[in-house]
Amino acid sequence: MRGWAAAVASVLMLTGCGLGPSGGVKDIDPLSLPPRLLADAPPTAVPSRDPDSSGAAVYFLRDTTLRPAVRTLTARTGVPALQELLNSLAAGPDGTDRQRGVSTALPPTTRLTVTGLEGDLATVDLSFGQVPPDQTTAIAQIVLTATSLPEVNRLLLTIEGAPLQAPLANGAQTDRPLTRSDYVRIVRPS
């Protein structure tokens, strides 16, 4: 009986450590992790006005990859939370972010307006004011930021109400709703 319990415990420990069925280490997709686990600072270092905050994140550039910066929101869910998060993204990196060497691909004239949230699909109307030099990274920042909220899995981007032909990380373009997996190639944990 004791040998059986030890064998079960060993199996449970190995599967809990991220070992695949072949015994090798399996990669974990960084987009499957909560943004608060990928941020530069531990979640406890983020000032919080609300202990139930979502731990949502805005995505900024560091070197050539996008990385999350955790934000504490005053709105808890829905359109108000999404709008607050997108306003934070459009405002650009704060002082702490800039000290960490992050920047943004979004022009300072960027406006992001939430026009709908139905089920897990959010619709955001955008205006860059000027075309960003790296449109793919700019769009990726918006998509990754919006989908860091638990209730948003897909994002439809529009310009003056018309669907945007958005560039994907693989070089293709689409006017369908965008997901985190469309930009996995340019995001990295901190």
Side-chain angles (χ1 to χ4, degrees), residues 40-96:
D40 286 336
T44 56
V46 177
S48 178
R49 287 171 276 187
D50 178 4
D52 296 325
S53 68
S54 69
V58 292
Y59 280 75
F60 292 123
L61 274 168
R62 190 161 85 195
D63 302 320
T64 58
T65 59
L66 291 174
R67 299 168 189 239
V70 174
R71 294 294 189 260
T72 300
L73 304 176
T74 57
R76 290 181 182 246
T77 61
V79 172
L82 180 56
Q83 188 63 64
E84 183 180 347
L85 190 61
L86 292 175
N87 289 347
S88 180
L89 174 65
D94 63 20
T96 302

Side-chain angles (χ1 to χ4, degrees), residues 20 44-45 48 63 79 87 97 100 111 125 131 143 148 150 152 155 166 170 178 184 189:
T44 56
S48 178
D63 302 320
V79 172
N87 289 347
D97 296 325
R100 291 185 181 135
R111 284 189 330 241
D125 200 68
V131 178
V143 172
S148 74
V152 179
L155 181 68
N170 66 9
L178 303 165
V184 70

Side-chain angles (χ1 to χ4, degrees), residues 28-46:
I28 297 174
D29 177 4
L31 292 176
S32 69
L33 298 173
R36 69 183 186 286
L37 295 180
L38 301 175
D40 286 336
T44 56
V46 177

Side-chain angles (χ1 to χ4, degrees), residues 52-173:
D52 296 325
S53 68
S54 69
V58 292
Y59 280 75
F60 292 123
L61 274 168
R62 190 161 85 195
D63 302 320
T64 58
T65 59
L66 291 174
R67 299 168 189 239
V70 174
R71 294 294 189 260
T72 300
L73 304 176
T74 57
R76 290 181 182 246
T77 61
V79 172
L82 180 56
Q83 188 63 64
E84 183 180 347
L85 190 61
L86 292 175
N87 289 347
S88 180
L89 174 65
D94 63 20
T96 302
D97 296 325
R98 285 190 296 277
Q99 287 177 348
R100 291 185 181 135
V102 299
S103 62
T104 183
L106 297 173
T109 54
T110 300
R111 284 189 330 241
L112 302 166
T113 306
V114 179
T115 58
L117 181 57
E118 295 181 30
D120 70 344
L121 174 66
T123 303
V124 173
D125 200 68
L126 70 93
S127 170
F128 285 128
Q130 63 190 46
V131 178
D134 184 349
Q135 293 178 30
T136 302
T137 301
I139 298 298
Q141 282 185 259
I142 298 166
V143 172
L144 294 171
T145 297
T147 59
S148 74
L149 288 177
E151 67 254 41
V152 179
N153 291 317
R154 301 174 298 139
L155 181 68
L156 179 62
L157 291 173
T158 62
I159 294 181
E160 296 180 6
L164 170 72
Q165 280 289 329
L168 302 173
N170 66 9
Q173 291 206 344

